Amino acid sequence: MAVLGIESSAHTFGAGVSSNGKILSNAKAMYKISDKGMIPSKLAEFHASNAKRVIEKAIADAGIGLSGIEAIGYTKGPGLGPCLRIGELSAISLASKLNVPVYPVNHAMAHIQITTGLSRMENPLALYVSGGNSQILSIISNPYKHYHVHGETLDIGIGNMLDNFARAAGMNPAWGSTVAKAAENGSYISMPYTVKGMDFTFTGILTYAIKALEKNKVEDVAFSLQETSFAMLSEAAERAMLLAKSRGIILCGGVAQSQRLQSIIAGMAASHKAKFFVAPNEYNADNGAMIAYVAEKMHRRKGVKFDRLGVDQKYRIDRVDASWL
Ligand code: FE2
């Protein structure tokens, strides 16, 4: 028996299947972002027209058939409201047809949990970096078991910052990997660096970098933007790692696909003889498998009262009771 997970918080509609903690399938359809960025209503239309096909593919790839699904999880948030709603409706309608329970999953927790599971580490510090989120977290048990946010962005997510810069620089596609490509032959120019304890901000450096395009080569600005913002994340994560006495750190979320960020965080961890782990890219990009993975854990815990269904655009991970983990 297996659990189906549905992800639809942003530009990806994903469906995956987990059975006994093993991922059996991970299907997805990804909306191609235009030069206007992500328009929620357009993304939701895309999700609605791809939902059935992606879910059917996930079930077929897993080789289980509809009768093999014993529960369904979906992303409750955080994310874009109209997009989340399509995932929720898909989950609830299929669950009522199959007469199986539905579980609301926190998107950030799903990224962290699947990466932690693959790392085989016990409660590592997590550096979770994506378009909409940038946080440093670990589980603490006081006053109840939950993910504690040691530090986070005080304005926008680092992925959003890189995408915005890519758009301003006329890059296509306008996202982080294009900035990384442009940065390959760049030289360093000084940029504003903002770390406040274990928090950080990205709008100042974004404004500065866009202005710097007027007088500098795009590769130099791209390189300096990456180096400076990644160094900010590393400094904040290092402080959190030492304060939390973590012996390992995991990197997860869409921006975890950056090889440069991976090498900076791996180097920082190595300097403290701490372990470092990053999952394969298919789990850092948004995906249904991670939702299935967490929903299966929820389903196996009997007698726990989980959050109610619905969607919540600002569903913070530190609001989720994690006593069932
Ligand atoms: Fe994500």
Side-chain angles (χ1 to χ4, degrees), residues 7 9-10 78 107-108 111 128-133 253-254 283-287 290:
E7 153 62 29
S9 63
H107 182 92
H111 272 297
Y128 167 49
V129 278
S130 68
N133 305 282
Y283 300 123
N284 288 318
D286 286 347
N287 66 92
M290 66 182 189

Side-chain angles (χ1 to χ4, degrees), residues 13-141:
F13 189 94
V17 173
S18 169
S19 179
N20 296 318
K22 277 210 168 65
I23 300 305
L24 302 185
S25 66
N26 196 14
K28 66 173 71 173
M30 199 175 128
Y31 181 83
K32 222 168 172 293
I33 300 165
S34 72
D35 55 1
K36 293 181 184 62
M38 292 204 276
I39 301 165
S41 59
K42 293 272 173 236
L43 296 173
E45 273 172 33
F46 173 84
H47 291 347
S49 53
N50 283 280
K52 188 168 182 286
R53 179 180 64 79
V54 174
I55 290 169
E56 283 173 357
K57 181 166 182 356
I59 293 169
D61 289 353
I64 51 168
L66 277 178
S67 59
I69 297 172
E70 58 185 307
I72 301 177
Y74 73 94
T75 303
K76 177 174 177 174
L80 302 166
C83 303
L84 292 167
R85 192 65 81 185
I86 303 297
E88 181 211 17
L89 288 173
S90 305
I92 290 175
S93 58
L94 183 56
S96 72
K97 187 174 152 194
L98 301 177
N99 197 24
V100 296
V102 185
Y103 297 93
V105 176
N106 179 282
H107 182 92
M109 184 182 278
H111 272 297
I112 296 169
Q113 273 292 305
I114 197 159
T115 309
T116 301
L118 291 167
S119 77
R120 298 181 182 279
M121 284 188 227
E122 184 76 25
N123 191 19
L125 190 80
L127 176 55
Y128 167 49
V129 278
S130 68
N133 305 282
S134 298
Q135 294 177 315
I136 301 164
L137 320 100
S138 65
I139 295 172
I140 65 170
S141 298

Side-chain angles (χ1 to χ4, degrees), residues 28 153 188 201 221 280 313:
K28 66 173 71 173
T153 178
Y188 193 75
T201 66
V221 181
Q313 295 194 97

